[in-house]
Amino acid sequence: MVTARDVAERAGTSTAVVSYVFNNGPRPVAPKTRQRVLDAAAELQYRPNALARALSAGRTFSIGIVVPHIRNPYFAALAEQLEAGTRARNHLLLIGDSGGDSAQEQSHLTSFIERQVDGIVLVSVRSQPELVGLDTAGIPVVALHRMPGGSRASSLAIDSVAAAATAAGHLVSHGYRSIGVLTGPIDSPGTEEHLIGVAEATRGQRVKVEHRTSEISRYHATEVTSSWLANERPRAIYCATDEQAFGVLFAAWRAGLSVPDDLAVLGGDGTAECAVTIPPLSAIQRPVPQLATRSIELLLDASPGDGPVTITLPHELVRRESCGCI
Amino acid sequence: MVTARDVAERAGTSTAVVSYVFNNGPRPVAPKTRQRVLDAAAELQYRPNALARALSAGRTFSIGIVVPHIRNPYFAALAEQLEAGTRARNHLLLIGDSGGDSAQEQSHLTSFIERQVDGIVLVSVRSQPELVGLDTAGIPVVALHRMPGGSRASSLAIDSVAAAATAAGHLVSHGYRSIGVLTGPIDSPGTEEHLIGVAEATRGQRVKVEHRTSEISRYHATEVTSSWLANERPRAIYCATDEQAFGVLFAAWRAGLSVPDDLAVLGGDGTAECAVTIPPLSAIQRPVPQLATRSIELLLDASPGDGPVTITLPHELVRRESCGCI
DNA sequence: TTGTATGCGTTATCAA
DNA sequence: TTGATAACGCATACAA
């Protein structure tokens, strides 16, 4: 490995100057000296060791994100945006996939702490995450869902209650009188809010609401939905996530049902993939670009003193064919 | 931040002993002392600083992967498997998304070098990647596609020529007399091999072959395919990637064509998503688990002396409905 | 079995 | 404008 020392020797100067050159400071360097250093570095193919740099400087220029499942298009989109945003600020994004498992989630968090990331974006699998060690580590955290009161983490999310109400309200306005709600497991973040929102939107209407849960997986959603559709099936299904909606679409097709004529479907994320499902999926759309941008700002631009903050972002209903709009 | 020094003080011992305890060596520690250290560490919520550890030990316990597009299900699956495999070996996986851009790919590689990863898995966007700096850095690299001769990187891939031949041969055996081939850009890895394989399988047959390219994106594939289908359309299309096949499926649906009756479709990756597309997608299946496992072995278990190696893994044709098999 | 002291590659302070 | 040199937190050779 080529070190600053090697470069310094070849340039006939000291490691301090090499450092000044590569960091543009904090001391000025004479143009000639600078050039000699640059030349030497180029000839030697010198790359500063980020570990040593981080150890000395106290920041790693990296942030971590933990998601339940990187193959879920919504989380993949989030990771993609976050990656672009962090790269734009010369940071590296570390991605941790918890596989929907609480212990694995914690293990990733611990790993991020040990690796001294400058901040963490969390999509927890639990509605009441524990965040062991995060408090003492002093690493800022932003959760992309509501956090229980008193948490040390900031929260950046849409209003799930309102979103669910928008969705259910839309289905009601289509005239559907029996609505199914497919959410993730009972204790996953957002599930409760979804049910409250749907209840709000259907209160006083003559609408029958039925709730089912599945893992956040299109395959499991397909399974659950298949048996659902075989019995007294709802006229429309609102899914808390796109991933689940994809499974519902497939189950409907398998059952020989036409979407939206026999069954209307609504997704909960509004990922780009919705535009090319068969048929295209109407959905509540989460503001992924803002989620990413603001997460980064929250983590990287926070002053040490700032306490956790709770931010609500707007959502949108995107109408495509699966609900009957087009 | 809590350091080994803090733990040592509280346990009434030295940092060396703290280190011995946390690494189970290289020196033995008396049970009592060990317990005191463990207790102190727990009370203080001590987490070893991975940076310092890596700097001192010379390994980071991390490997990096660079893929063209993390939202592509095949790459997402790869990342997922690789992540599981690295975690099982107490390593962290760093994911770099090149966005299909050669400069961004190089920028990720450089970032990985600076961060001293123990190994790199590369899916390049170029058929002749340059790998700047990788040689001098001495970091082992395994590419998941063929590499040009003389490369310092190992290669772990299926035989794309054979795979394409299998695919085309299968379509011919269905009796389809005009076959379309949709690949990625001309100079992306594998494109040439696909064309050769298709040519081999159709040689001497009375089959018309037509080739189109699109970016490796379902959306762009949809665009390209839509105009294709509007004119003299082929009876079947073999796509080099699943991602593109998903776009073809959608384009066919939009055009009012039935798959497989009007148009047969074959994918090139065989991701899990194929099982729940409409209709389910027949595809060449890449051995993702082996790809992941062997990559890790190649990177982590290689002796310094070992030169680059070229390994060919078997592929498989998975028959579902989109080709007309079921 | 334990402690001391040095090195890992940087950054940045302080003198020069 | 530059150069020694002391951190940064940990691992480990060597001494005790």
Side-chain angles (χ1 to χ4, degrees):
Chain A
M1 148 174 286
V2 180
T3 73
R5 199 193 153 100
D6 299 322
V7 176
E9 272 178 18
R10 183 175 250 261
T13 179
S14 71
T15 62
V17 172
V18 173
S19 172
Y20 300 152
V21 169
F22 273 82
N23 298 304
N24 282 316
R27 297 273 79 87
V29 174
K32 279 188 201 165
T33 318
R34 160 181 299 270
Q35 196 52 53
R36 283 212 316 280
V37 168
L38 257 18
D39 290 346
E43 286 164 30
L44 263 33
Q45 291 221 24
Y46 169 65
R47 302 271 160 231
N49 181 325
L51 298 177
R53 199 200 277 255
L55 185 59
S56 179
R59 12 183 342 207
T60 53
F61 284 85
S62 66
I63 77 170
I65 179 177
V66 181
V67 295
H69 206 123
I70 192 61
R71 289 180 74 167
N72 178 315
Y74 170 62
F75 299 130
L78 221 36
E80 186 185 56
Q81 290 286 314
L82 237 15
E83 214 263 275
T86 51
R87 191 182 44 235
R89 297 189 55 163
N90 280 310
H91 283 243
L92 180 70
L93 179 71
L94 271 33
I95 302 173
D97 184 329
S98 68
D101 178 63
S102 175
Q104 244 173 66
E105 176 179 307
Q106 181 59 51
S107 142
H108 276 299
L109 292 175
T110 303
S111 164
F112 287 165
I113 294 173
E114 290 173 350
R115 288 186 147 82
Q116 314 289 123
V117 296
D118 299 333
I120 294 179
V121 177
L122 172 67
V123 181
S124 181
V125 297
R126 300 160 288 178
S127 49
Q128 314 250 327
E130 280 185 61
L131 270 40
V132 175
L134 244 9
D135 38 342
T136 59
I139 298 175
V141 177
V142 25
L144 298 186
H145 43 70
R146 289 274 161 278
M147 287 295 280
S151 166
R152 225 190 53 72
S154 290
S155 162
L156 182 58
I158 64 171
D159 179 341
S160 291
V161 173
T166 302
H170 184 69
L171 293 175
V172 169
S173 78
H174 266 291
Y176 306 138
R177 304 238 150 268
S178 88
I179 295 178
V181 182
L182 180 62
T183 70
I186 284 298
D187 73 332
S188 56
T191 294
E192 210 182 324
E193 285 102 315
H194 276 98
L195 295 179
I196 296 174
V198 171
E200 273 183 14
T202 53
R203 182 168 306 137
Q205 311 282 140
R206 264 254 237 8
V207 172
K208 187 176 146 209
V209 172
E210 207 171 343
H211 177 218
R212 302 275 169 118
T213 65
S214 83
E215 287 161 38
I216 314 289
S217 133
R218 63 188 72 186
Y219 315 103
H220 193 228
T222 292
E223 268 183 50
V224 168
T225 307
S226 291
S227 64
W228 198 356
L229 297 181
N231 302 310
E232 275 182 83
R233 67 162 194 271
R235 176 62 183 82
I237 297 182
Y238 163 55
C239 303
T241 68
D242 283 356
E243 177 70 19
Q244 287 165 300
F246 299 152
V248 169
L249 248 25
F250 182 73
W253 178 78
R254 236 337 156 222
L257 262 27
S258 158
V259 175
D261 298 339
D262 299 320
L263 179 75
V265 182
L266 222 49
D269 299 317
T271 56
E273 282 78 356
C274 292
V276 295
T277 56
I278 297 177
L281 186 68
S282 301
I284 295 293
Q285 188 162 54
R286 293 171 192 265
V288 173
Q290 286 96 303
L291 248 16
T293 308
R294 303 215 55 183
S295 296
I296 295 175
E297 290 170 358
L298 245 28
L299 295 176
L300 265 27
D301 302 332
S303 309
D306 306 352
V309 39
T310 298
I311 297 176
T312 301
L313 258 27
H315 64 270
E316 210 179 315
L317 175 69
V318 176
R319 298 152 197 241
R320 296 200 182 85
E321 296 167 45
S322 70
C323 67
C325 267
I326 295 177
Chain B
M1 149 174 287
V2 180
T3 71
R5 199 193 152 100
D6 299 322
V7 176
E9 274 177 18
R10 184 176 250 261
T13 181
S14 71
T15 60
V17 173
V18 173
S19 171
Y20 299 153
V21 169
F22 275 81
N23 298 305
N24 283 315
R27 298 272 79 87
V29 174
K32 279 188 199 162
T33 317
R34 159 181 300 270
Q35 196 52 54
R36 282 213 315 281
V37 169
L38 257 18
D39 291 346
E43 286 163 29
L44 263 33
Q45 292 221 25
Y46 168 65
R47 304 270 162 230
N49 182 324
L51 298 177
R53 199 199 276 255
L55 185 59
S56 180
R59 9 182 346 203
T60 54
F61 283 86
S62 66
I63 76 169
I65 179 177
V66 180
V67 295
H69 205 124
I70 192 60
R71 289 179 74 169
N72 178 315
Y74 170 61
F75 298 130
L78 221 35
E80 186 184 56
Q81 290 287 312
L82 237 14
E83 214 263 274
T86 50
R87 191 182 44 236
R89 296 188 58 162
N90 281 309
H91 284 242
L92 181 69
L93 179 69
L94 271 34
I95 302 174
D97 184 329
S98 67
D101 179 63
S102 174
Q104 244 173 69
E105 176 179 307
Q106 181 59 52
S107 141
H108 275 300
L109 292 176
T110 303
S111 164
F112 287 165
I113 295 174
E114 290 174 351
R115 289 188 148 81
Q116 315 288 123
V117 296
D118 299 333
I120 293 178
V121 177
L122 173 67
V123 181
S124 180
V125 296
R126 300 159 289 177
S127 47
Q128 312 252 327
E130 280 186 61
L131 272 41
V132 176
L134 242 11
D135 38 343
T136 59
I139 298 175
V141 176
V142 25
L144 299 187
H145 43 70
R146 288 277 162 275
M147 288 294 280
S151 165
R152 226 190 52 72
S154 289
S155 161
L156 182 58
I158 63 171
D159 180 341
S160 291
V161 172
T166 302
H170 184 69
L171 293 175
V172 169
S173 79
H174 267 290
Y176 307 138
R177 303 239 150 267
S178 87
I179 295 178
V181 181
L182 181 63
T183 70
I186 284 297
D187 73 332
S188 55
T191 295
E192 210 183 322
E193 284 101 316
H194 276 97
L195 296 179
I196 296 175
V198 171
E200 273 182 14
T202 53
R203 182 168 306 139
Q205 310 282 140
R206 263 253 238 6
V207 172
K208 187 175 145 210
V209 172
E210 207 173 342
H211 176 218
R212 302 273 169 121
T213 64
S214 83
E215 288 161 38
I216 314 290
S217 134
R218 64 186 74 186
Y219 315 102
H220 193 228
T222 292
E223 268 184 51
V224 168
T225 308
S226 292
S227 63
W228 197 358
L229 297 182
N231 302 310
E232 274 183 84
R233 68 163 193 273
R235 177 62 183 82
I237 297 183
Y238 163 55
C239 303
T241 70
D242 283 357
E243 177 70 19
Q244 288 165 299
F246 299 151
V248 169
L249 247 25
F250 182 72
W253 178 79
R254 235 340 156 222
L257 262 28
S258 157
V259 174
D261 297 339
D262 299 319
L263 178 77
V265 182
L266 222 47
D269 299 317
T271 57
E273 283 77 357
C274 292
V276 294
T277 55
I278 297 176
L281 187 68
S282 301
I284 295 293
Q285 188 161 54
R286 292 170 192 265
V288 173
Q290 286 96 303
L291 248 17
T293 307
R294 303 216 53 184
S295 295
I296 295 175
E297 290 170 357
L298 245 27
L299 296 176
L300 264 27
D301 302 332
S303 308
D306 305 353
V309 37
T310 298
I311 297 176
T312 300
L313 257 27
H315 64 271
E316 210 178 313
L317 175 69
V318 177
R319 299 152 196 242
R320 296 200 181 86
E321 295 165 47
S322 70
C323 66
C325 266
I326 294 176

Short mmCIF file of all heavy atoms in Angstrom, two decimals, chain A residues 182-208:
data_model
loop_
_atom_site.label_atom_id
_atom_site.label_comp_id
_atom_site.label_asym_id
_atom_site.label_seq_id
_atom_site.Cartn_x
_atom_site.Cartn_y
_atom_site.Cartn_z
N LEU A 182 -55.18 -5.03 3.17
CA LEU A 182 -54.08 -5.96 3.39
C LEU A 182 -52.87 -5.20 3.90
O LEU A 182 -52.32 -4.35 3.20
CB LEU A 182 -53.73 -6.66 2.07
CG LEU A 182 -52.59 -7.69 2.13
CD1 LEU A 182 -52.94 -8.85 3.06
CD2 LEU A 182 -52.25 -8.21 0.74
N THR A 183 -52.51 -5.50 5.13
CA THR A 183 -51.35 -4.82 5.71
C THR A 183 -50.27 -5.84 6.06
O THR A 183 -50.48 -7.04 5.93
CB THR A 183 -51.71 -4.07 7.01
OG1 THR A 183 -51.99 -5.03 8.03
CG2 THR A 183 -52.91 -3.17 6.81
N GLY A 184 -49.14 -5.32 6.55
CA GLY A 184 -48.11 -6.20 7.07
C GLY A 184 -48.52 -6.71 8.43
O GLY A 184 -49.64 -6.45 8.88
N PRO A 185 -47.63 -7.43 9.09
CA PRO A 185 -47.92 -7.98 10.42
C PRO A 185 -48.44 -6.92 11.38
O PRO A 185 -48.12 -5.74 11.24
CB PRO A 185 -46.55 -8.50 10.87
CG PRO A 185 -45.84 -8.81 9.61
CD PRO A 185 -46.28 -7.80 8.62
N ILE A 186 -49.23 -7.36 12.33
CA ILE A 186 -49.90 -6.47 13.28
C ILE A 186 -48.97 -5.45 13.92
O ILE A 186 -49.30 -4.27 14.01
CB ILE A 186 -50.55 -7.32 14.40
CG1 ILE A 186 -51.84 -7.96 13.87
CG2 ILE A 186 -50.90 -6.45 15.61
CD1 ILE A 186 -52.90 -6.96 13.46
N ASP A 187 -47.80 -5.89 14.35
CA ASP A 187 -46.95 -4.94 15.08
C ASP A 187 -45.92 -4.23 14.21
O ASP A 187 -44.99 -3.62 14.72
CB ASP A 187 -46.24 -5.66 16.23
CG ASP A 187 -45.15 -6.55 15.69
OD1 ASP A 187 -45.28 -7.00 14.55
OD2 ASP A 187 -44.16 -6.77 16.40
N SER A 188 -46.08 -4.30 12.90
CA SER A 188 -45.13 -3.56 12.07
C SER A 188 -45.56 -2.10 11.99
O SER A 188 -46.73 -1.78 12.13
CB SER A 188 -45.02 -4.20 10.69
OG SER A 188 -46.27 -4.29 10.07
N PRO A 189 -44.58 -1.22 11.77
CA PRO A 189 -44.90 0.21 11.80
C PRO A 189 -45.94 0.55 10.75
O PRO A 189 -45.86 0.12 9.61
CB PRO A 189 -43.55 0.87 11.43
CG PRO A 189 -42.52 -0.15 11.64
CD PRO A 189 -43.18 -1.47 11.44
N GLY A 190 -46.96 1.30 11.15
CA GLY A 190 -47.95 1.76 10.17
C GLY A 190 -49.24 0.95 10.14
O GLY A 190 -50.27 1.45 9.72
N THR A 191 -49.16 -0.29 10.55
CA THR A 191 -50.35 -1.14 10.45
C THR A 191 -51.55 -0.53 11.18
O THR A 191 -52.65 -0.41 10.63
CB THR A 191 -50.06 -2.55 11.01
OG1 THR A 191 -49.09 -3.19 10.20
CG2 THR A 191 -51.33 -3.38 11.04
N GLU A 192 -51.30 -0.14 12.39
CA GLU A 192 -52.39 0.43 13.18
C GLU A 192 -52.95 1.69 12.51
O GLU A 192 -54.16 1.87 12.40
CB GLU A 192 -51.85 0.77 14.58
CG GLU A 192 -52.90 0.68 15.64
CD GLU A 192 -52.30 1.08 17.00
OE1 GLU A 192 -51.13 0.77 17.25
OE2 GLU A 192 -53.03 1.73 17.76
N GLU A 193 -52.02 2.55 12.09
CA GLU A 193 -52.46 3.78 11.43
C GLU A 193 -53.32 3.49 10.21
O GLU A 193 -54.32 4.19 9.97
CB GLU A 193 -51.25 4.62 10.98
CG GLU A 193 -50.53 5.33 12.11
CD GLU A 193 -49.26 4.61 12.50
OE1 GLU A 193 -49.32 3.36 12.62
OE2 GLU A 193 -48.24 5.27 12.69
N HIS A 194 -52.93 2.52 9.44
CA HIS A 194 -53.72 2.19 8.25
C HIS A 194 -55.15 1.85 8.62
O HIS A 194 -56.11 2.30 7.99
CB HIS A 194 -53.08 1.01 7.50
CG HIS A 194 -52.00 1.44 6.57
ND1 HIS A 194 -50.67 1.37 6.89
CD2 HIS A 194 -52.05 1.99 5.34
CE1 HIS A 194 -49.93 1.84 5.89
NE2 HIS A 194 -50.75 2.22 4.94
N LEU A 195 -55.29 1.03 9.65
CA LEU A 195 -56.63 0.61 10.04
C LEU A 195 -57.45 1.79 10.53
O LEU A 195 -58.64 1.91 10.23
CB LEU A 195 -56.53 -0.48 11.11
CG LEU A 195 -55.87 -1.76 10.60
CD1 LEU A 195 -55.78 -2.80 11.71
CD2 LEU A 195 -56.62 -2.31 9.39
N ILE A 196 -56.81 2.65 11.29
CA ILE A 196 -57.52 3.84 11.78
C ILE A 196 -57.98 4.71 10.61
O ILE A 196 -59.13 5.16 10.55
CB ILE A 196 -56.60 4.67 12.70
CG1 ILE A 196 -56.24 3.85 13.95
CG2 ILE A 196 -57.26 5.97 13.09
CD1 ILE A 196 -55.23 4.52 14.87
N GLY A 197 -57.08 4.91 9.66
CA GLY A 197 -57.41 5.74 8.51
C GLY A 197 -58.58 5.18 7.71
O GLY A 197 -59.48 5.91 7.30
N VAL A 198 -58.54 3.88 7.50
CA VAL A 198 -59.62 3.24 6.74
C VAL A 198 -60.94 3.38 7.51
O VAL A 198 -61.99 3.68 6.91
CB VAL A 198 -59.29 1.75 6.48
CG1 VAL A 198 -60.50 1.03 5.90
CG2 VAL A 198 -58.10 1.63 5.55
N ALA A 199 -60.85 3.19 8.81
CA ALA A 199 -62.07 3.31 9.64
C ALA A 199 -62.65 4.72 9.53
O ALA A 199 -63.85 4.90 9.34
CB ALA A 199 -61.73 2.98 11.09
N GLU A 200 -61.77 5.69 9.60
CA GLU A 200 -62.20 7.08 9.48
C GLU A 200 -62.94 7.33 8.17
O GLU A 200 -64.01 7.95 8.14
CB GLU A 200 -60.99 8.01 9.51
CG GLU A 200 -60.54 8.42 10.89
CD GLU A 200 -59.38 9.42 10.83
OE1 GLU A 200 -59.11 9.97 9.74
OE2 GLU A 200 -58.74 9.61 11.89
N ALA A 201 -62.33 6.84 7.10
CA ALA A 201 -62.89 7.15 5.79
C ALA A 201 -64.19 6.42 5.49
O ALA A 201 -64.96 6.81 4.62
CB ALA A 201 -61.86 6.83 4.71
N THR A 202 -64.42 5.32 6.20
CA THR A 202 -65.62 4.53 5.90
C THR A 202 -66.71 4.70 6.95
O THR A 202 -67.81 4.16 6.80
CB THR A 202 -65.25 3.02 5.83
OG1 THR A 202 -64.58 2.65 7.03
CG2 THR A 202 -64.36 2.75 4.64
N ARG A 203 -66.39 5.45 7.98
CA ARG A 203 -67.37 5.67 9.06
C ARG A 203 -68.65 6.30 8.50
O ARG A 203 -68.60 7.27 7.74
CB ARG A 203 -66.77 6.58 10.13
CG ARG A 203 -67.68 6.83 11.30
CD ARG A 203 -66.92 7.48 12.44
NE ARG A 203 -65.73 6.69 12.78
CZ ARG A 203 -64.54 7.22 13.03
NH1 ARG A 203 -64.36 8.52 12.97
NH2 ARG A 203 -63.53 6.43 13.35
N GLY A 204 -69.76 5.68 8.85
CA GLY A 204 -71.03 6.25 8.44
C GLY A 204 -71.43 5.86 7.02
O GLY A 204 -72.58 6.03 6.61
N GLN A 205 -70.46 5.34 6.27
CA GLN A 205 -70.79 4.85 4.92
C GLN A 205 -71.33 3.44 5.07
O GLN A 205 -71.07 2.76 6.05
CB GLN A 205 -69.52 4.79 4.07
CG GLN A 205 -68.68 6.02 4.11
CD GLN A 205 -69.24 7.13 3.24
OE1 GLN A 205 -69.22 8.28 3.61
NE2 GLN A 205 -69.78 6.77 2.10
N ARG A 206 -72.03 2.99 4.07
CA ARG A 206 -72.51 1.61 4.13
C ARG A 206 -71.46 0.74 3.47
O ARG A 206 -71.66 0.25 2.36
CB ARG A 206 -73.82 1.51 3.35
CG ARG A 206 -75.01 1.62 4.25
CD ARG A 206 -75.70 0.27 4.45
NE ARG A 206 -77.11 0.30 4.06
CZ ARG A 206 -77.73 1.31 3.45
NH1 ARG A 206 -77.07 2.42 3.13
NH2 ARG A 206 -79.01 1.23 3.17
N VAL A 207 -70.34 0.58 4.13
CA VAL A 207 -69.22 -0.15 3.55
C VAL A 207 -68.72 -1.20 4.51
O VAL A 207 -68.57 -0.96 5.70
CB VAL A 207 -68.06 0.81 3.21
CG1 VAL A 207 -66.84 0.04 2.79
CG2 VAL A 207 -68.48 1.76 2.10
N LYS A 208 -68.50 -2.38 3.97
CA LYS A 208 -67.97 -3.46 4.80
C LYS A 208 -66.45 -3.48 4.66
O LYS A 208 -65.92 -3.46 3.55
CB LYS A 208 -68.56 -4.78 4.31
CG LYS A 208 -68.22 -5.96 5.18
CD LYS A 208 -68.94 -7.21 4.66
CE LYS A 208 -68.09 -8.45 4.87
NZ LYS A 208 -68.36 -9.47 3.84
#
